[in-house]
Amino acid sequence: MSYKKEKVWVYESKEWYDKVAKIYNTFHKKLNDRDKSIYKRFLPKDMGGMKILDIWWWDGRIISEFAGKWLEKYVLADISEQMLKRAKNWVEKILMDAEQKFPFEDNTFDIVLCFFTLSHIWDLSNLFEESRRILKENWIFIVWHNIQRRDYEYNFGREKFKIKSYNYSYKDIEKMAEYNFFDINYVDLNEDNTIVLRTYCFTKK
């Protein structure tokens, strides 16, 4: 028996996020509730006057958590213009490639967030160096990371596709944090004795 193998397209991150921006929140629905409370334990109770940078802001599931916190600034930085168009109006938006120099002055932000983004970035060293540079002393860089056992495959109409990704281990990430002089703390989310999500809190020394 013969058959025609169905082609699976592989997209670069920017191209893919621009393509699926309008429907992105239909993907990975199971993450809606389970991960929201984990990162909060690392946040200060009073965030009044703080500046937050959200790198590749995922799909906005946590932005509402910061509304009404009397922040001075909440900045969304994304490589995809179409994803940024979906963001809430009360936040600032900026197109930014996390593998290039960040367009901010030194010691600008109190908190940098980076959720489910590392696997899309080839040059992690730039991400960590620049995050350290723009953070104020003794403030925090919060990262969500899960190790993918296989590449996610998506359907878009009749098209099947994957996103180009880099499968970093937790050890890879922690070495990069140590090299950039961050103190490391983390909490794991486990299912069936397997880590499905690690929430890091890196503190600038």
Side-chain angles (χ1 to χ4, degrees):
M1 183 177 71
S2 63
Y3 64 95
K4 183 178 179 181
K5 188 175 181 180
E6 192 170 17
K7 185 167 185 176
V8 178
W9 297 92
V10 179
Y11 285 98
E12 297 287 345
S13 294
K14 181 184 186 306
E15 184 181 15
W16 182 76
Y17 279 102
D18 279 340
K19 183 181 182 69
V20 302
K22 291 182 179 179
I23 63 167
Y24 183 73
N25 61 358
T26 65
F27 301 134
H28 307 301
K29 287 184 177 180
K30 67 180 181 179
L31 299 176
N32 282 345
D33 297 319
R34 77 177 187 184
D35 50 24
K36 278 191 173 181
S37 62
I38 299 173
Y39 75 96
K40 291 181 183 177
R41 69 186 64 190
F42 296 119
L43 297 175
K45 291 182 179 179
D46 182 6
M47 290 189 285
M50 290 190 175
K51 297 179 180 178
I52 297 177
L53 173 66
D54 192 341
I55 300 173
W56 287 18
W57 63 289
W58 192 25
D59 66 354
R61 297 180 209 196
I62 62 99
I63 291 177
S64 60
E65 302 289 329
F66 293 90
K69 299 293 185 182
W70 301 101
L71 301 173
E72 179 176 337
K73 181 182 294 188
Y74 192 108
V75 180
L76 297 181
D78 203 293
I79 199 171
S80 166
E81 184 176 5
Q82 296 305 314
M83 288 293 283
L84 285 175
K85 286 180 179 179
R86 299 178 55 250
K88 303 289 185 183
N89 289 330
W90 64 271
V91 300
E92 295 185 26
K93 310 170 192 180
I94 186 167
L95 280 172
M96 187 183 86
D97 185 341
E99 295 188 42
Q100 303 295 325
K101 183 177 176 65
F102 294 0
F104 307 107
E105 298 294 330
D106 295 359
N107 307 309
T108 297
F109 291 96
D110 302 282
I111 300 171
V112 174
L113 305 174
C114 190
F115 295 158
F116 298 125
T117 300
L118 302 192
S119 60
H120 297 314
I121 297 176
W122 177 76
D123 184 8
L124 282 188
S125 61
N126 185 79
L127 173 70
F128 277 83
E129 289 170 9
E130 285 295 283
S131 294
R132 176 177 173 79
R133 179 183 66 78
I134 65 171
L135 270 172
K136 298 176 184 177
E137 207 68 28
N138 299 317
W139 280 98
I140 56 177
F141 177 30
I142 300 178
V143 172
W144 279 344
H145 183 66
N146 63 322
I147 296 175
Q148 297 177 195
R149 306 302 173 188
R150 58 180 176 79
D151 290 337
Y152 292 119
E153 187 174 297
Y154 302 91
N155 294 309
F156 189 81
R158 296 181 179 180
E159 184 180 331
K160 289 184 179 296
F161 59 90
K162 295 179 180 179
I163 316 165
K164 188 174 183 180
S165 60
Y166 308 92
N167 202 13
Y168 298 110
S169 69
Y170 297 125
K171 185 174 290 186
D172 292 334
I173 294 166
E174 288 158 24
K175 283 183 177 178
M176 189 62 63
E178 290 172 353
Y179 182 79
N180 286 281
F181 304 102
F182 282 107
D183 285 328
I184 302 170
N185 196 1
Y186 63 83
V187 176
D188 288 335
L189 179 65
N190 295 277
E191 289 181 0
D192 300 323
N193 296 316
T194 300
I195 301 171
V196 295
L197 174 68
R198 179 164 286 181
T199 301
Y200 285 106
C201 181
F202 303 119
T203 306
K204 179 178 176 179
K205 297 179 181 180

